[in-house]
Amino acid sequence: MSGIANSVAIQTANAYFTSQAQQIFAAAQSDSFKAYVEEVPTDGSSIVITSLGPNPVVREMTSTQRFTAWRAYARMKAVVPYSLDGIELTATQINGDKSGMVARAIDNFLGVGKSFWWKPIVDLLVSNPTGIDGVSILNDSHPNGSGATTWDNKVTGAFSPATLNTGVVAMRSLKTENGMPFGLSPDTLMVEPTNERDAKDAIGVMRPIPVDTAGLPNAGSAVIAAVSQENWLKGELKLIVEPLLTTTTDWFLMDLTKPGCRPLIGGILDAPTPIITTQESQPYMHRDVIQYGLRGRAALAGYVPQTIYGRVG
């Protein structure tokens, strides 16, 4: 877009902002939204969250056909507005633009807006929302475990290769309430930047192993050297280093591959929509500014706790 400097400069800037925003958000939701959020339709004001039941079992049929049913659980989550902090440009800046500054400012703003739903997703994960079993998605006492027991996916210790290994085994070993494997295999690891090095050590191709005087693996005081061994987790996990995590101890291990099962659930009523103050609005009349923003409406909530393992706070 060339410099905006003519008698209809403000209308030109507004039209450019609207057309660029519509072009960006006309497509389906971003891959990150679809990866973390099980998308369901809204009824205009909310979404309905229903429960999962036990996995069916193949067994010898010795009498009549057996049936299982979903547990009676449902709750509503209201649609709420989300907005991206807007930008202000003065009428003088717009009318006097000869270098394309206005277009660059709009393009930069909308470039940030492309990931409109990412921060709400991360914020919701960090808030540890209630899942379909009625407790927080990270919890040390989830109900409806195998054999009518409780189960645990909440870590209290700091991130380390050992806690990551424990999480991978726990998720792969998880069973439904009737004793059948849930069929999980974590594929995504999210850590705060402080833990990036440890995370890469834990999931890289090679992994350093401390050894003692007998040449045996030993993480205690008898360590005299370290050797590199092929990592059993190499190529298994996608690493996301996320500065939006609120503390250095936050980390999440997730399975984002199971159809119909995600850590979060959501429904989008309105995709991000351009918002512009007009020349007749109070901000323009009193301050000689045009304001540009983005606003969308959605319902987001916790969903399947079996698909996540880790720590918050």
Side-chain angles (χ1 to χ4, degrees), residues 14 68 204 210 215 258 310:
N14 292 353
T68 59
K258 195 170 179 63

Side-chain angles (χ1 to χ4, degrees), residues 149-267:
T149 61
T150 60
W151 60 279
D152 180 6
N153 65 345
K154 184 178 181 181
V155 180
T156 55
F159 176 83
S160 69
T163 54
L164 175 62
N165 294 349
T166 300
V168 171
V169 173
M171 291 186 71
R172 289 179 177 172
S173 304
L174 193 62
K175 291 181 171 61
T176 62
E177 58 198 279
N178 61 356
M180 290 298 293
F182 207 91
L184 296 167
S185 185
D187 71 313
T188 302
L189 173 64
M190 182 185 293
V191 300
E192 198 268 346
T194 303
N195 289 317
E196 179 178 2
R197 180 175 178 177
D198 287 341
K200 288 181 176 178
D201 286 344
I203 68 174
V205 175
M206 303 298 290
R207 177 176 170 181
I209 305 295
V211 296
D212 60 18
T213 54
L216 299 174
N218 190 331
S221 59
V223 172
I224 62 167
V227 297
S228 293
Q229 292 184 358
E230 189 175 47
N231 192 346
W232 73 287
L233 283 174
K234 69 172 184 178
E236 297 281 337
L237 299 173
K238 174 184 177 182
L239 177 62
I240 297 176
V241 180
E242 183 48 67
L244 287 174
L245 297 181
T246 54
T247 71
T248 59
T249 55
D250 290 347
W251 66 277
F252 304 107
L253 179 66
M254 293 170 281
D255 183 346
L256 304 179
T257 66
K258 195 170 179 63
C261 295
R262 294 288 187 271
L264 306 176
I265 190 170

Side-chain angles (χ1 to χ4, degrees), residues 286-299:
H286 290 286
R287 300 174 53 212
D288 199 33
V289 296
I290 300 295
Q291 299 171 326
Y292 300 93
L294 290 172
R295 187 176 303 160
R297 290 190 292 171

Side-chain angles (χ1 to χ4, degrees), residues 30 71 106 137 150 155 173 175 207 245 270 284 310-311:
S30 66
R71 179 171 292 101
I106 289 174
I137 57 173
T150 60
V155 180
S173 304
K175 291 181 171 61
R207 177 176 170 181
L245 297 181
D270 297 323
Y284 182 81
R311 175 177 176 175

Side-chain angles (χ1 to χ4, degrees), residues 4-239:
I4 299 174
N6 53 58
S7 60
V8 292
I10 292 176
Q11 290 89 338
T12 302
N14 292 353
Y16 180 74
F17 177 79
T18 301
S19 66
Q20 293 296 99
Q22 290 174 341
Q23 181 177 338
I24 289 173
F25 297 111
Q29 301 310 322
S30 66
D31 290 340
S32 60
F33 186 91
K34 291 182 289 185
Y36 293 84
V37 181
E38 180 65 21
E39 189 169 4
V40 295
T42 74
D43 65 4
S45 61
S46 62
I47 58 173
V48 178
I49 307 166
T50 56
S51 180
L52 297 176
N55 285 359
V57 180
V58 176
R59 66 183 92 216
E60 181 182 357
M61 186 172 175
T62 58
S63 58
T64 59
Q65 174 73 48
R66 296 169 60 114
F67 293 91
T68 59
W70 278 15
R71 179 171 292 101
Y73 170 85
R75 63 189 177 93
M76 310 288 286
K77 181 66 176 180
V79 170
V80 297
Y82 292 88
S83 65
L84 177 67
D85 292 345
I87 57 171
E88 289 185 340
L89 295 173
T90 67
T92 300
Q93 287 174 318
I94 296 175
N95 287 315
D97 176 36
K98 291 182 171 60
S99 65
M101 178 275 294
V102 170
R104 289 193 296 273
I106 289 174
D107 289 342
N108 181 68
F109 174 76
L110 292 176
V112 176
K114 287 181 180 179
S115 56
F116 185 91
W117 297 112
W118 180 241
K119 188 174 187 302
I121 288 171
V122 175
D123 287 347
L124 187 58
L125 285 172
V126 170
S127 74
N128 199 15
T130 299
I132 56 173
D133 58 4
V135 299
S136 56
I137 57 173
L138 291 179
N139 199 285
D140 56 12
S141 188
H142 285 284
N144 310 318
S146 178
T149 61
T150 60
W151 60 279
D152 180 6
N153 65 345
K154 184 178 181 181
V155 180
T156 55
F159 176 83
S160 69
T163 54
L164 175 62
N165 294 349
T166 300
V168 171
V169 173
M171 291 186 71
R172 289 179 177 172
S173 304
L174 193 62
K175 291 181 171 61
T176 62
E177 58 198 279
N178 61 356
M180 290 298 293
F182 207 91
L184 296 167
S185 185
D187 71 313
T188 302
L189 173 64
M190 182 185 293
V191 300
E192 198 268 346
T194 303
N195 289 317
E196 179 178 2
R197 180 175 178 177
D198 287 341
K200 288 181 176 178
D201 286 344
I203 68 174
V205 175
M206 303 298 290
R207 177 176 170 181
I209 305 295
V211 296
D212 60 18
T213 54
L216 299 174
N218 190 331
S221 59
V223 172
I224 62 167
V227 297
S228 293
Q229 292 184 358
E230 189 175 47
N231 192 346
W232 73 287
L233 283 174
K234 69 172 184 178
E236 297 281 337
L237 299 173
K238 174 184 177 182
L239 177 62

